[in-house]
Amino acid sequence: MSNSQSPTSDAAAPQTGTTGSNWVVLKFGGTSVASIAGWRCIAAQVRRLQQDSPLLVVCSALAGVTNSLLLLAEGQCDDVEALADTIIARHQQLLVAAGGDSFDPAMQLLVGQFRDYLKALPGTVIASAKQPGKRLQAAQQAQLLAYGELLSTTLGVQLLQLQGVAAIWRNSRELLQAQPARAHHPEHHAWLNAECDMVADVKVQQQLAAALHAQQAQVVLVPGFVAANADGATVLLGRGGSDTSCVYLAVLLAARLVEIWTDVPGLFSANPRQVGNARLLRHLGYMEAQEIAATGARVLHPRCLRPAQLAGIPIHVRSTHQPEHPGTIISDQARDFGAQVKAIVSRHGITLVVMETLGMWHQVGFLADAFAVFRQHGVSVDLVATSESNVTCSVDTGEQLLQQQQLQALEKDLQAICRVRVIPDCAVVALVGRGIRTMLHRLAPAFEAFEERRILLLTQAANDLNLSVVVASEHADNLVHQLHELLIPRLARIPEESVFGESWQELTQDQAKPLQSRASWYREHRQTLLELAAQHPCAYVYNLAVVRRQAAVLQQMRSIKRVLYAMKANNNVHVLRLLRALGIGFDCVSMDEVLYLQQATDAGVDEILFTPNFAPVTEYQQALQMGLKLTIDNGFIVQNWDGLLRGREVFLRVDPGQGHGHHQKVKTAGVHSKFGIPLNELAQLAQRCQQLDLRVTGLHVHIGSGLTLPDNWRRSAELLLGLLQLFPQVKVIDLGGGLSVASKPGDDDLDVARLDQLLLDVQQQHVQRGGAEVAFWLEPGRFLVSEAGVLLARVTQTKGKGDVRYVGLNTGMNSLLRPALYGAYHDIVNLSRLDDAEQQLVNVVGPICETGDIIGLDRMLSRCTEGDVVLIANAGAYGAVMSNHYNMRTPAPELILGMAQ
């Protein structure tokens, strides 16, 4: 396949006589290429560099496309045509945003090939209501997943052309040849995790430079992630393989520089999305960068660093959001700052394999035998700890495409030589830096953070670059926060020679303004809020106009027949009355909620859906007696309470098998969530319903909170529609809630219009297949009320401890529990000094006698003094309803803006 474009009038001719030794190779990730802003950045970088160097750009697939294709590859997709339509539509929308109209001939040809390939897939791969489809073979997976990068880069040539940048397309399968599979690797490894030769090729350098010159082009565009084996068949370089492609191609071209462009301006001392005070790492050596990448940083793939090191090619990690920032430089010229912890990182998706037997004591060759089994199954061991009767090792199951089958087979074969125990759902927390062994005495105070957490494994790297601890996954994020606070220095002034640069908060301070302008109705009502604060020590204040606005957004969705408010989010009577007046129904999770709602609003039973979880039988009895619509989320109820349900109508809540959300504790699906009926129980449950004459008239799913991708609801809708074969009397598909609310800089708004269109498409396709008309419902909570509420509190004291500054408030986790409970982020401003230019980095804390009474860590606030009014935004959901009287402190009362108090 070949693709070239005619030169534009302002296209600059590349340097002539280039031998390839001056090449620069750039890589842009999925988030960068998924927006027209990202492509504008790509065009700008080409213009910046083209005068000095021939350029090659490597691109990933559009964000989310590979994941969608992977669902199909794993037999989790029940509508291949809809999948193809969605992926192609995303590329079409990108073209339109760039000012284009229709795909060029090269893109049209590729789109046709993509559709033909999907149509030719065996029918067994398609999922049904009763069971998932059959997983594709590794070679088929490679061919399917490669389409993501092929589509993005083929379209990319056209997108650059529209911006006046002439580009030529080259097939990475013609440039990168995978090495033969190693004897100890399983067959799929050669297809899905291939490695390539790392040798410069002068001939390829000259050919590409000549092609640029001949076509008066400015850049060569190449798909990442994809290579070919010796037979010319498509292979992949593993998830995150576009980084590796980029460096392989840089080695091939003997490039002078690699630039990896992503959505953050470099590597940080922790995940900046989780730790606001994470500091940019300005300069790193290859080995340090590899440790940080391998132990959890997602900015670049660890496999890309070794070939860069061997070839001596420096890597610059930069951000498309802040292209002027120099980012992180990785090279062999990085200065040695001595023994120092530079990063605290975590990696989830870890499984521990524990091997126990007294027979290993003084037994020659036990470890060799055990690791031979790991090798036989192609499972790579990460961390290892040994004793006289126990060997424990960690396996990263988060990135392996064929993980579960391998792990089960591994466990079975290991049992022949020892007792085996597998501990899933773990995480590694690693301290990364130079000279870890020489500074253990300085690390000692930090280990108090592990006091109440069970350590499952502890190892210290042989290269003295990291100390790793394995804990239960749920503890990892909090540990990273605590350890970062203890071990990474805060710098009021950054020395020129420091490895540490600006904090994430400082770098994104300007980016916070769009968030404040959208969700900060409090600016308009600042004086009123200050007057209310003068009357109340602390208070929640709700703006009902915002609730009305959010309700209108959902009621305008053509795909949604009914909106139910999840009243557990905020049960203020004025909020409830307004929503009922707007025609919104209610989802209640306890009988007390039902009775409270009816008393407050006179809501009828036809306006309420009752969705209890592990409630006593008396609540179900009362609900049925009242005539409420009842949701059952446990097969136990149908199997054991037959007298209660015989002849009734109910909804069933289904667990799709995987949850999503902004925190582990708000994921409401999957084996580690208590909600919903597993898919594998539904067929038997349908038979039981028939025996009881129990009519299932609604199917319900809710996978979590804070969901940002509209595709989540599309998949849920398709899943539930597929279950109509089992439950043909269903008239309602309840898609739950979880609609995200942007709460911090960098968060994306949920694209409600796209969600609406996706659901309309699903409904249309269902009808076209002969399906009966079914109504779609939504159950939002936060989306309706979060932005409507603020929490006002007063500054009681301030404190400085070293470089750490604290601002204390007169209320804390007794009024707002979310930050302490699951690390929720709330925007915080000093309302008394809202527009003061002077800013300081502080921790905002409450008066409760708990270390966890933290409202916000590492926040940039106007300088605070005693008596200032601090406003905590996005507090309208799960605030007052979760308040408490801990320490016998009275929580904040609730007020309505503009209403006499």
Side-chain angles (χ1 to χ4, degrees), residues 28-31 33-34 59-66 91 145 147-149 152 242:
F28 291 85
T31 54
V33 301
C59 293
S60 300
L62 271 60
V65 168
T66 300
H91 290 79
L145 297 180
Y147 273 107
E149 275 70 15
S152 69
S242 291

Side-chain angles (χ1 to χ4, degrees), residues 278-291:
R279 307 202 75 86
L280 178 72
L281 299 171
R282 291 167 158 179
H283 307 279
L284 289 171
Y286 295 105
M287 294 294 288
E288 289 176 301
Q290 181 158 9
E291 289 292 332

Side-chain angles (χ1 to χ4, degrees), residues 597-674:
L597 173 68
Q598 291 185 320
Q599 182 180 9
T601 68
D602 294 325
V605 294
D606 59 330
E607 301 174 66
I608 302 171
L609 177 66
F610 184 47
T611 310
N613 173 254
F614 285 102
V617 66
T618 52
E619 291 199 23
Y620 295 84
Q621 291 169 337
Q622 188 174 357
L624 292 170
Q625 290 168 3
M626 293 173 64
L628 293 172
K629 296 181 184 69
L630 174 64
T631 301
I632 303 295
D633 85 333
N634 188 353
F636 171 92
I637 297 172
V638 179
Q639 300 291 352
N640 294 278
W641 297 351
D642 50 355
L644 178 67
L645 297 177
R646 190 178 300 275
R648 301 286 191 171
E649 290 186 3
V650 297
F651 284 26
L652 295 182
R653 178 169 177 172
V654 176
D655 180 357
Q658 185 174 10
H660 299 275
H662 61 82
H663 190 275
Q664 190 70 27
K665 292 180 181 177
V666 299
K667 295 179 182 179
T668 53
V671 296
H672 297 290
S673 169
K674 65 174 184 168

Side-chain angles (χ1 to χ4, degrees), residues 712-724:
N712 286 314
W713 288 275
R714 177 193 65 79
R715 290 199 298 267
S716 293
E718 291 174 343
L719 171 69
L720 295 187
L721 288 172
L723 296 175
L724 297 188

Side-chain angles (χ1 to χ4, degrees), residues 424-693:
D425 200 21
C426 301
V428 175
V429 176
L431 284 58
V432 181
R434 292 182 184 269
I436 295 292
R437 279 194 290 268
T438 67
M439 55 184 298
L440 289 177
H441 60 292
R442 288 158 49 193
L443 300 180
F447 284 100
E448 291 183 7
F450 294 92
E451 182 178 3
E452 297 181 4
R453 279 96 170 187
R454 183 186 175 197
I455 295 177
L456 301 171
L457 182 68
L458 174 67
T459 66
Q460 200 271 319
N463 61 10
D464 205 19
L465 287 176
N466 84 62
L467 181 71
S468 296
V469 181
V470 179
V471 295
S473 188
E474 62 183 313
H475 298 315
D477 293 344
N478 285 337
L479 280 170
V480 170
H481 272 281
Q482 291 178 261
L483 292 169
H484 192 275
E485 187 77 11
L486 292 164
L487 296 175
I488 302 299
R490 292 174 179 244
L491 303 172
R493 182 186 62 81
I494 303 172
E496 185 65 31
E497 68 278 6
S498 173
V499 66
F500 296 108
E502 305 97 314
S503 73
W504 175 251
Q505 287 280 4
E506 292 164 336
L507 285 168
T508 59
Q509 190 172 351
D510 291 339
Q511 297 176 25
K513 292 179 181 177
L515 171 69
Q516 293 175 356
S517 65
R518 186 194 66 251
S520 56
W521 56 265
Y522 56 80
R523 287 181 170 270
E524 179 184 349
H525 298 281
R526 176 177 178 242
Q527 190 57 44
T528 301
L529 292 170
L530 289 172
E531 291 171 1
L532 289 173
Q535 302 169 30
H536 303 272
C538 57
Y540 280 100
V541 183
Y542 303 134
N543 185 346
L544 297 184
V546 177
V547 178
R548 187 178 290 108
R549 179 197 72 194
Q550 294 296 95
V553 170
L554 299 183
Q555 289 178 315
Q556 291 168 7
M557 294 178 68
R558 295 170 295 160
S559 60
I560 300 301
K561 185 73 171 179
R562 191 173 188 189
V563 177
L564 304 175
Y565 169 57
M567 68 168 285
K568 66 178 183 287
N570 184 323
N571 59 23
N572 181 273
V573 293
H574 300 288
V575 171
L576 298 178
R577 289 169 184 167
L578 172 63
L579 289 170
R580 183 170 183 245
L582 295 173
I584 302 289
F586 298 91
D587 172 60
C588 299
V589 296
S590 73
M591 187 51 61
D592 285 337
E593 277 193 351
V594 172
L595 298 177
Y596 177 87
L597 173 68
Q598 291 185 320
Q599 182 180 9
T601 68
D602 294 325
V605 294
D606 59 330
E607 301 174 66
I608 302 171
L609 177 66
F610 184 47
T611 310
N613 173 254
F614 285 102
V617 66
T618 52
E619 291 199 23
Y620 295 84
Q621 291 169 337
Q622 188 174 357
L624 292 170
Q625 290 168 3
M626 293 173 64
L628 293 172
K629 296 181 184 69
L630 174 64
T631 301
I632 303 295
D633 85 333
N634 188 353
F636 171 92
I637 297 172
V638 179
Q639 300 291 352
N640 294 278
W641 297 351
D642 50 355
L644 178 67
L645 297 177
R646 190 178 300 275
R648 301 286 191 171
E649 290 186 3
V650 297
F651 284 26
L652 295 182
R653 178 169 177 172
V654 176
D655 180 357
Q658 185 174 10
H660 299 275
H662 61 82
H663 190 275
Q664 190 70 27
K665 292 180 181 177
V666 299
K667 295 179 182 179
T668 53
V671 296
H672 297 290
S673 169
K674 65 174 184 168
F675 300 98
I677 302 170
L679 293 174
N680 60 8
E681 293 183 11
L682 291 177
Q684 182 180 358
L685 198 64
Q687 296 176 0
R688 181 61 173 162
C689 290
Q690 288 182 336
Q691 295 170 2
L692 298 176
D693 188 26

Side-chain angles (χ1 to χ4, degrees), residues 128-364:
S128 69
K130 296 184 179 180
Q131 61 184 11
K134 186 177 180 181
R135 187 194 299 267
L136 287 176
Q137 296 295 318
Q140 295 172 305
Q141 285 197 47
Q143 193 171 356
L144 171 65
L145 297 180
Y147 273 107
E149 275 70 15
L150 296 176
L151 288 165
S152 69
T153 49
T154 303
L155 176 64
V157 173
Q158 191 174 359
L159 296 176
L160 291 176
Q161 167 96 3
L162 290 168
Q163 298 178 75
V165 174
I168 57 174
W169 188 90
R170 285 296 180 266
N171 193 338
S172 55
R173 291 172 293 192
E174 297 174 359
L175 299 173
L176 296 177
Q177 181 171 323
Q179 298 171 351
R182 299 179 185 178
H184 60 276
H185 282 165
E187 180 186 2
H188 77 268
H189 195 281
W191 294 102
L192 304 177
N193 291 282
E195 299 178 29
C196 295
D197 295 325
M198 296 181 287
V199 179
D201 190 322
V202 175
K203 184 177 179 181
V204 171
Q205 298 165 21
Q206 294 173 341
Q207 288 174 343
L208 289 179
L212 283 172
H213 184 57
Q215 300 187 47
Q216 293 187 310
Q218 296 153 276
V219 62
V220 181
L221 209 57
V222 175
F225 188 43
V226 181
N229 62 19
D231 298 324
T234 299
V235 300
L236 305 179
L237 303 180
R239 293 304 298 267
S242 291
D243 292 346
T244 312
S245 301
C246 172
V247 177
Y248 281 157
L249 288 165
V251 173
L252 186 75
L253 298 175
R256 67 176 177 87
L257 175 65
V258 164
E259 292 188 351
I260 292 183
W261 289 79
T262 180
D263 57 353
V264 293
L267 278 75
F268 281 76
S269 58
N271 181 347
R273 306 290 190 192
Q274 296 176 337
V275 181
N277 196 39
R279 307 202 75 86
L280 178 72
L281 299 171
R282 291 167 158 179
H283 307 279
L284 289 171
Y286 295 105
M287 294 294 288
E288 289 176 301
Q290 181 158 9
E291 289 292 332
I292 293 173
T295 50
R298 301 294 183 183
V299 177
L300 77 169
H301 197 281
R303 191 190 287 180
C304 76
L305 288 155
R306 176 169 168 74
Q309 179 185 24
L310 292 176
I313 302 174
I315 297 176
H316 290 199
V317 183
R318 306 182 68 178
S319 172
T320 52
H321 299 315
Q322 296 173 291
E324 72 288 347
H325 198 282
T328 298
I329 300 173
I330 303 169
S331 72
D332 55 10
Q333 301 300 312
R335 178 180 171 183
D336 185 354
F337 289 92
Q340 184 178 35
V341 174
K342 295 182 180 177
I344 315 293
V345 291
S346 64
R347 186 168 81 252
H348 292 262
I350 299 298
T351 295
L352 290 183
V353 180
V354 182
M355 297 168 281
E356 297 176 312
T357 176
L358 293 175
M360 73 175 67
W361 186 65
H362 283 189
Q363 178 182 333
V364 176

Side-chain angles (χ1 to χ4, degrees), residues 39-66:
W39 282 100
R40 292 192 183 108
C41 179
I42 296 173
Q45 302 318 311
V46 171
R47 296 189 187 100
R48 172 177 64 91
L49 293 165
Q50 67 178 27
Q51 296 295 337
D52 300 322
S53 303
L55 305 177
L56 184 142
V57 169
V58 178
C59 293
S60 300
L62 271 60
V65 168
T66 300

